[in-house]
Amino acid sequence: MDDASFLFHMNDIVQQRTSSTSERLTDNKMSAGAPEDLSRRFSKAIAARVDGKAVDVSSPLVTEEAEPIFPSSPEGLEVLRHSTAHLMAQAVKRLFPEVQITIGPVIESGFYYDFKHERSFTPEDLERIEAEMQTIVKENLPVSREEVPRNDAVRFFTQMGEAYKAEIIASIPEGEIVSLYRQGEFVDLCRGPHVPSTGRIPAFKLTSVAGAYWRGDEKNEMLQRIYGTAFATPKELRQHLALLEEAKRRDHRRVGRELDLFSFNPVAPGSPFFHPKGTLIYNELVSYMRGLYQRYGYQEVLTPQIFDVDLWHRSGHYENYKENIFFTEVEGRDFGVKPMNCPGHTYIYAAKKHSYRDLPLRYADFARLHRFERSGVLAGLTRVRSFSQDDAHIFCTPEQIESEVSGVLRMINEVYQTFGFEEVHFYLATRPEKRLGDDATWDRAEAALAGALKANEIAYEVNVADGAFYGPKIDFIVLDALRREWQLATIQLDFMLPERFDLSYVTAHGDEARPVMIHRAVLGSIERFMGVLIEHCGGDFPLWLAPVQVKIVTVTDNQDAYARQVDAQLRQAGIRCELDLRNEKLGYKIREAEMQKVPYTVVIGDKEVQAGTVAPRVRKREKVAPLSVQALIERLHRERIPGGAS
């Protein structure tokens, strides 16, 4: 059979399958001879579940025992979004026939599809594609599945000019059967399942376009990636799009630029430059944690930035983490810039003998850390190469594990309440495939963390194989104001480093034993936490964190002298102030202070000068009755968090 005949033959096979599927859909039946009650049961389903596996509603496997999958369910939403990715690819091929299609998976918030296109897609292109997608929905094309031999599928897509699809299929073991899905003139490689017809896709939106390397490898050619999302109802889509707009408004990169908090420069990729106001917030976060350290019994230490590479071999990081470490050579010796503090803390512990009476020892360290992250994953403050953690390591006896973990849990709970993170999810991450130590040690460590969670009556889920290479961990996922998930705090239990660095303590019986090491961070990376916090509060920092707590504005220059007196009194009381004596309209000054998200704007006019008062306006236009300067100072002091920074 020649190439042209083969292509015609393949299309004929798939079209025959499409016709039979169309007949079943028209008859509203799941399979030949399906009873009427089964048809009614699946009339609103977009897929079915058979023996725990999702299949097409047209599958012969769909019988009385099958369960319908509806669009509003999590599994149904995944099917809907996958089908919308195919819908988008079909629209792209109609509008741009020369484009080659590659892969189009479902992701957490929607879907994407990668295309080989000679130029970048424009916003206008996205509008055209979306309009064509709506046209295809109205056509209500049946969606059908066909299984074909691998080699036939490779030849089919090659003849269609879809080299990327052919390459994907060629990587499948020879002799395997592959499944194709067709809707109208569009055919795609896919496992499925998919919606019964394009008319069952009710609400979607293309959201953005970006570059992406073929197969995620930067050595491969650049493709065009179009992102989109889909929902079971137009209302849900509108709500999601409104959430996206709010997320853009809160984006910490945008807010950081508008409030003059930090910037980035290619001279130091992935390493933020903190401006004076951003540095103030940064230092206040550190100061807040230092206040907690005093109450929770931590001692702060300082350790070197660069260590001989032998340390990283000894700790196991070289074998398990070297791709993330920056290395350098000095006087013929290889060194690594530290990506974490834990190995350095073992040297402080080992600097002298310890008795069981000394334990637990809690060492905290705010040293700068450096980790190599590929440029493609760098994302503002939330993914950087240079950062500092509120890092600490607890050296304790095995008997102290539960009480120490419980103490860390209490600290984390206090911190999250302070910052308004009201919903927290807990995950116990167990042994990864690439790890140190034997199974018996891992069993012991995992049981200890699980026991601490249960002792504190904390419900948790298990993240299988997601632990650190040296021990299991508890991860804390917080939901921000937009109900997005962020992984912040972590508690990691480590039996390995004390063994590798030969740490010991003298027991009550006079013999030596190994301490256990608990790694913990509450905020995590200060940079990342700051980015999350900015988006959580939209830049409306609580008073104690706000770079400028009070903005003093005058009505005319007649009040300048009194305004300077007020400014001096507030500064003397430890309040961070700014004076605005410009010859501008009062409304303009107030609006500018609001744009800068200053918690208090103090207005001074002739009346305030005569009465010796001030007229405060709380952020978001709440007015306060005129106060004396002392009364304002007392109000500001009352708003500060207990035990927090000044």
Side-chain angles (χ1 to χ4, degrees):
M1 185 183 296
D2 60 24
D3 291 341
S5 299
F6 174 79
L7 190 59
F8 177 82
H9 172 67
M10 288 292 293
N11 274 303
D12 186 54
I13 290 175
V14 179
Q15 285 173 349
Q16 288 179 23
R17 175 72 176 179
T18 300
S19 299
S20 62
T21 302
S22 178
E23 291 170 4
R24 285 199 299 274
L25 291 169
T26 302
D27 294 340
N28 198 26
K29 295 179 180 180
M30 301 303 108
S31 58
E36 192 66 28
D37 60 341
L38 188 61
S39 298
R40 287 196 301 270
R41 185 177 169 213
F42 281 84
S43 63
K44 294 184 179 180
I46 59 172
R49 188 181 301 103
V50 178
D51 295 330
K53 180 182 178 182
V55 300
D56 299 301
V57 292
S58 59
S59 169
L61 299 173
V62 177
T63 63
E64 291 286 352
E65 290 73 32
E67 292 293 328
I69 295 176
F70 298 107
S72 56
S73 68
E75 197 169 9
L77 188 59
E78 184 171 341
V79 171
L80 186 65
R81 288 174 172 171
H82 199 173
S83 296
T84 311
H86 279 219
L87 178 69
M88 177 177 71
Q90 182 178 10
V92 169
K93 288 294 290 184
R94 281 189 178 184
L95 295 171
F96 309 96
E98 73 282 2
V99 164
Q100 292 188 57
I101 60 175
T102 63
I103 57 172
V106 174
I107 54 177
E108 183 179 358
S109 58
F111 59 87
Y112 69 78
Y113 218 115
D114 289 347
F115 302 93
K116 173 61 177 176
H117 194 21
E118 293 306 316
R119 64 169 178 83
S120 298
F121 289 110
T122 66
E124 292 74 23
D125 290 335
L126 295 193
E127 291 178 6
R128 291 179 60 202
I129 294 166
E130 200 171 292
E132 189 63 32
M133 291 168 70
Q134 294 287 3
T135 298
I136 299 170
V137 169
K138 291 176 183 177
E139 292 173 5
N140 197 25
L141 302 173
V143 179
S144 62
R145 175 188 175 97
E146 175 67 20
E147 295 182 350
V148 298
R150 187 204 74 159
N151 290 343
D152 286 353
V154 170
R155 189 177 177 191
F156 176 60
F157 280 103
T158 300
Q159 291 304 307
M160 287 176 63
E162 297 290 355
Y164 293 91
K165 286 292 179 186
E167 181 181 330
I168 294 170
I169 300 170
S171 66
I172 298 172
E174 189 172 357
E176 291 277 334
I177 297 295
V178 300
S179 56
L180 308 180
Y181 277 83
R182 181 181 186 113
Q183 51 199 54
E185 79 288 356
F186 179 73
V187 183
D188 202 358
L189 167 72
C190 193
R191 294 177 181 175
H194 283 284
V195 296
S197 70
T198 59
R200 299 293 297 274
I201 302 176
F204 53 83
K205 180 69 177 177
L206 302 186
T207 54
S208 63
V209 62
Y213 292 108
W214 169 233
R215 294 186 180 272
D217 189 338
E218 60 189 17
K219 296 178 181 178
N220 292 336
E221 60 187 316
M222 179 69 74
L223 305 173
Q224 297 298 311
R225 175 171 296 177
I226 299 178
Y227 288 95
T229 191
F231 284 87
T233 66
K235 179 181 178 181
E236 290 175 300
L237 176 61
R238 288 193 299 271
Q239 291 173 338
H240 176 75
L241 295 178
L243 197 66
L244 288 181
E245 285 303 311
E246 179 62 16
K248 288 180 183 177
R249 188 185 71 81
R250 291 169 176 255
D251 188 304
H252 74 277
R253 291 162 292 193
R254 174 181 176 178
V255 175
R257 182 174 60 253
E258 292 173 347
L259 301 186
D260 193 25
L261 303 180
F262 57 85
S263 61
F264 288 86
N265 191 288
V267 72
S271 301
F273 291 75
F274 283 97
H275 301 191
K277 290 180 180 179
T279 302
L280 193 148
I281 296 172
Y282 196 101
N283 289 338
E284 288 291 286
L285 291 172
V286 172
S287 180
Y288 168 65
M289 291 308 302
R290 282 181 168 141
L292 292 178
Y293 287 168
Q294 291 184 6
R295 290 197 283 114
Y296 282 87
Y298 286 80
Q299 303 174 77
E300 197 169 338
V301 298
L302 291 171
T303 48
Q305 288 293 121
I306 300 176
F307 291 92
D308 190 293
V309 74
D310 286 346
L311 174 137
W312 305 113
H313 281 291
R314 187 175 183 184
S315 69
H317 287 92
Y318 190 89
E319 291 75 15
N320 295 277
Y321 201 76
K322 66 179 178 181
E323 65 275 8
N324 298 106
I325 302 177
F326 288 100
F327 291 100
T328 187
E329 182 182 315
V330 180
E331 296 181 340
R333 293 173 62 186
D334 291 328
F335 288 83
V337 183
K338 69 176 177 181
M340 66 278 297
N341 292 308
C342 41
H345 289 184
T346 66
Y347 282 84
I348 295 178
Y349 180 91
K352 67 176 185 177
K353 282 270 191 181
H354 293 285
S355 160
Y356 70 96
R357 294 187 179 90
D358 301 327
L359 305 183
L361 283 172
R362 308 181 187 100
Y363 294 149
D365 196 336
F366 289 103
R368 294 218 64 77
L369 305 174
H370 294 80
R371 296 179 186 176
F372 174 69
E373 300 278 4
R374 292 188 177 275
S375 57
V377 302
L378 298 175
L381 295 180
T382 57
R383 197 72 175 265
V384 293
R385 290 176 175 172
S386 172
F387 61 98
S388 175
Q389 289 182 318
D390 65 326
D391 200 11
H393 297 93
I394 302 170
F395 297 88
C396 65
T397 69
E399 295 76 21
Q400 294 170 331
I401 291 174
E402 185 175 305
S403 62
E404 287 304 302
V405 171
S406 295
V408 176
L409 289 170
R410 286 194 299 273
M411 180 190 286
I412 292 170
N413 182 60
E414 180 177 344
V415 170
Y416 286 173
Q417 286 182 351
T418 294
F419 291 102
F421 293 112
E422 298 177 354
E423 189 171 348
V424 184
H425 297 163
F426 300 81
Y427 294 88
L428 175 59
T430 59
R431 68 199 74 182
E433 183 177 343
K434 189 177 181 180
R435 61 182 184 268
L436 303 176
D438 55 33
D439 285 343
T441 302
W442 278 88
D443 289 341
R444 183 183 179 191
E446 290 170 1
L449 288 185
L453 287 166
K454 291 174 183 176
N456 286 274
E457 299 181 344
I458 294 174
Y460 65 93
E461 296 181 35
V462 176
N463 266 354
V464 177
D466 198 39
F469 70 86
Y470 49 78
K473 59 179 179 171
I474 301 171
D475 285 331
F476 300 75
I477 308 296
V478 303
L479 272 65
D480 68 10
L482 300 184
R483 297 196 61 75
R484 297 170 301 179
E485 293 186 345
W486 300 94
Q487 196 275 309
L488 296 178
T490 185
I491 302 174
Q492 302 171 357
L493 190 55
D494 183 1
F495 287 84
M496 306 301 168
L497 283 189
E499 179 73 29
R500 285 186 162 235
F501 285 90
D502 195 24
L503 305 183
S504 65
Y505 66 93
V506 179
T507 70
H509 303 292
D511 51 357
E512 289 193 343
R514 292 267 183 249
V516 180
M517 198 170 175
I518 299 173
H519 308 239
R520 59 107 283 220
V522 181
L523 303 182
S525 157
I526 308 297
E527 282 76 2
R528 187 168 185 271
F529 183 83
M530 190 168 162
V532 173
L533 181 63
I534 289 171
E535 300 198 6
H536 179 55
C537 67
D540 292 320
F541 296 106
L543 180 69
W544 67 279
L545 266 182
V548 178
Q549 296 168 322
V550 176
K551 190 76 166 280
I552 302 170
V553 301
T554 54
V555 178
T556 70
D557 57 7
N558 293 334
Q559 299 92 39
D560 287 2
Y562 179 66
R564 290 190 177 94
Q565 292 177 23
V566 173
D567 178 64
Q569 286 179 264
L570 293 176
R571 289 178 181 275
Q572 187 66 28
I575 307 300
R576 297 190 287 272
C577 303
E578 275 189 2
L579 262 176
D580 188 348
L581 305 180
R582 294 175 300 166
N583 185 23
E584 298 283 358
K585 290 182 179 180
L586 178 63
Y588 176 83
K589 292 181 178 182
I590 291 173
R591 283 194 300 275
E592 191 173 79
E594 289 173 349
M595 291 293 292
Q596 290 297 308
K597 302 183 183 295
V598 178
Y600 279 82
T601 302
V602 169
V603 178
I604 297 177
D606 288 338
K607 285 194 304 183
E608 286 72 34
V609 174
Q610 293 167 8
T613 61
V614 292
R617 297 170 62 97
V618 183
R619 185 168 43 202
K620 297 184 179 176
R621 298 186 181 277
E622 178 192 342
K623 291 184 179 180
V624 179
L627 297 172
S628 68
V629 177
Q630 185 57 39
L632 176 61
I633 290 171
E634 291 172 1
R635 175 181 174 126
L636 295 172
H637 282 170
R638 284 195 300 271
E639 286 191 28
R640 297 184 178 193
I641 61 171
S646 60

